[in-house]
């Protein structure tokens, strides 16, 4: 069976990509066909956002993202050939050169061609930072009104077979399969349970529920990414006087929650208004979610002086 594809242009054209230490023309920043990462998914990546604010544009929690990139690489037994400081400067430089006062940054550490096969250990490790202007990941309406989610029939990858704390390229097939299944069934997003039946996370977001005014989110010992937005929300919620429990919960507790929301760099804070056709709480963004969302926006846009250290300013 053959399938015809229309040529799909790159979604967002920007002039520059940072590659192996310098900004190059984005069209020249390519990966060889036989790069190991293309075949086996042995690469690591990050997703970072920059926001404009009163004091100009700044990257949000850049150091934490770059440190997680190093940890992901360590789990994969590869070494990022640049120091965090060099990557930090590269991220700021490519945003500035692309004239982006806001946007998404995608550092990618990939293993080049050279030796072939699963055992190839020593091919050159290369690093790119792509950037583009990215709007609301789960839709403008999703952020305001909430999205409709499905509990996936696929289980979140187990830490017995994979390393969920690493943002490792190949591991994302688990997420893509769940996301595609949800989309095919008419949902906006999938929520994955772990192998024991406890709620883990969504395909590219951590998950919180609100119960009796308190936040509950799966603990870091669950097979979830150690989300930086998750950490930000826990910090900001405590500052708002909310109690936060990091504990496991099952599907029934999720369905009975007063509110549910997802957190991620791309998705920011997105309410969930319906799961598997059941209305969550009032079926719209709940009041606690709205408070956390507002404080999150204050933080990323530089309106919280006490969290100025979360921002890495750059000049456009
Ligand atoms: N869980 C997963 C599996 C995940 O991929 C992300 C980020 C999170 C939780 C939230 O982590 P953090 O961004 O540090 O709060 N997902 C990234 C990739 C999205 C994509 O489409 O690609 C992101 O949000 O940038």
């Amino acid at each position: 069976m053959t399938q015809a594809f229309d040529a799909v242009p790159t979604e967002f054209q920007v002039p520059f990509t940072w590659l192996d230490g310098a900004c190059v023309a984005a069209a020249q920043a390519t990966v060889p066909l036989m790069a190991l990462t293309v075949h086996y998914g042995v690469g690591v990546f990050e997703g970072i956002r920059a926001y404009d604010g009163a004091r100009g544009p700044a990257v949000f929690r850049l150091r934490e993202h770059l440190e997680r990139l190093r940890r992901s690489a360590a789990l994969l037994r590869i070494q990022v050939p640049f120091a965090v400081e060099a990557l930090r400067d590269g991220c700021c430089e490519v945003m500035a050169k692309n004239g982006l006062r806001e946007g998404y940054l995608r550092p990618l550490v990939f293993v080049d061609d050279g030796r072939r096969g699963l055992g190839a250990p020593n091919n050159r490790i290369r690093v790119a930072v792509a950037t583009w202007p990215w709007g609301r990941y789960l839709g403008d309406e999703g952020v305001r009104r909430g999205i409709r989610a499905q509990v996936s029939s696929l289980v979140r990858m187990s830490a017995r077979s994979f390393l969920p704390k690493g943002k490792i390229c190949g591991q994302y097939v688990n997420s893509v399969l769940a996301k595609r299944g949800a989309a095919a069934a008419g949902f906006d997003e999938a929520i994955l349970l772990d192998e024991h039946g406890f709620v883990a996370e969504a395909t590219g977001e951590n998950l919180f529920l609100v119960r009796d005014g308190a936040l509950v989110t799966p603990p870091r010992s669950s097979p979830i990414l150690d989300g930086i937005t998750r950490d930000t929300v826990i910090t900001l919620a405590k500052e708002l006087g909310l109690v936060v429990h990091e504990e496991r919960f099952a599907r029934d507790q999720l369905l009975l929650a007063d509110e549910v929301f997802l957190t991620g760099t791309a998705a920011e804070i997105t309410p969930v208004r319906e799961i598997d056709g059941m209305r969550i709480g009032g079926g719209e963004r709940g009041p606690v979610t709205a408070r956390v969302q507002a404080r999150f926006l204050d933080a990323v846009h530089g309106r919280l002086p006490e969290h100025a250290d979360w921002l890495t300013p750059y000049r456009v």
Side-chain angles (χ1 to χ4, degrees):
M1 197 168 65
T2 57
Q3 202 180 349
F5 290 99
D6 293 329
V8 178
T10 303
E11 194 175 3
F12 300 103
Q13 299 280 5
V14 293
F16 296 104
T17 297
W18 189 90
L19 183 64
D20 302 324
C23 284
V24 301
Q28 254 86 70
T30 57
V31 173
L33 183 63
M34 293 310 296
L36 233 61
T37 301
V38 176
H39 298 252
Y40 307 126
V42 286
V44 298
F45 69 101
E46 266 304 321
I48 314 175
R49 269 191 193 270
Y51 294 88
D52 210 355
R55 298 219 194 114
V59 185
F60 188 64
R61 304 200 70 177
L62 179 55
R63 173 164 290 278
E64 290 88 335
H65 281 282
L66 294 175
E67 281 169 359
R68 188 172 65 187
L69 186 74
R70 295 196 81 80
R71 289 199 300 274
S72 296
L75 284 174
L76 200 53
R77 300 173 197 271
I78 62 178
Q79 220 191 344
V80 183
F82 291 93
V84 164
E85 290 69 28
L87 295 175
R88 178 196 62 202
D89 293 349
C91 286
C92 292
E93 187 191 342
V94 69
M95 286 299 281
K97 280 196 103 165
N98 283 328
L100 292 173
R101 300 182 67 85
E102 300 215 324
Y104 190 77
L105 297 95
R106 169 55 57 83
L108 171 69
V109 178
F110 66 97
V111 187
D112 210 339
D113 190 13
R115 299 278 294 279
R116 302 254 166 102
L118 290 175
N122 292 324
N123 296 351
R124 183 177 169 211
I125 309 293
R126 302 183 57 192
V127 187
V129 182
T131 62
W132 64 93
W134 224 10
R136 306 282 86 87
Y137 186 63
L138 296 169
D140 288 339
E141 199 188 83
V143 168
R144 272 198 319 274
R145 288 193 54 219
I147 58 156
R148 297 174 52 251
Q150 172 191 50
V151 175
S152 179
S153 58
L154 290 167
V155 165
R156 187 79 190 129
M157 63 175 142
S158 163
R160 286 151 33 136
S161 300
F162 290 94
L163 302 168
K165 291 288 170 289
K167 212 166 160 56
I168 295 172
C169 299
Q171 295 188 159
Y172 273 79
V173 173
N174 183 222
S175 285
V176 172
L177 292 174
K179 182 107 187 176
R180 289 186 171 192
F187 293 93
D188 304 310
E189 181 55 300
I191 295 168
L192 292 98
L193 308 182
D194 68 19
E195 59 186 321
H196 307 292
F198 293 105
V199 174
E201 60 182 340
T203 65
E205 301 88 23
N206 293 110
L207 185 145
F208 286 77
L209 62 76
V210 180
R211 190 180 59 208
D212 300 330
L215 300 189
V216 192
T217 195
R220 293 167 66 203
S221 55
S222 286
I224 60 171
L225 192 72
D226 207 345
I228 291 162
T229 319
R230 174 186 180 278
D231 177 74
T232 302
V233 163
I234 291 173
T235 303
L236 296 177
K238 287 180 179 165
E239 290 169 4
L240 287 170
L242 298 168
V243 174
V244 184
H245 302 288
E246 296 183 54
E247 64 184 38
R248 298 199 290 183
F249 52 87
R251 182 200 307 244
D252 48 358
Q253 294 168 288
L254 180 69
L255 295 170
L256 290 173
D258 299 326
E259 304 176 27
V260 173
F261 62 86
L262 306 178
T263 67
T265 298
E268 301 173 304
I269 295 177
T270 299
V272 179
R273 68 180 150 94
E274 191 188 300
I275 299 173
D276 286 344
M278 287 178 69
R279 219 168 65 169
I280 302 301
E284 58 183 15
R285 170 173 59 190
V288 177
T289 304
R291 280 179 76 199
V292 173
Q293 228 177 10
R295 191 156 172 91
F296 175 78
L297 289 177
D298 284 344
V300 298
H301 288 289
R303 294 190 291 263
L304 300 181
E306 64 271 39
H307 292 302
D309 58 333
W310 281 347
L311 303 175
T312 302
Y314 60 95
R315 262 189 239 280
V316 176

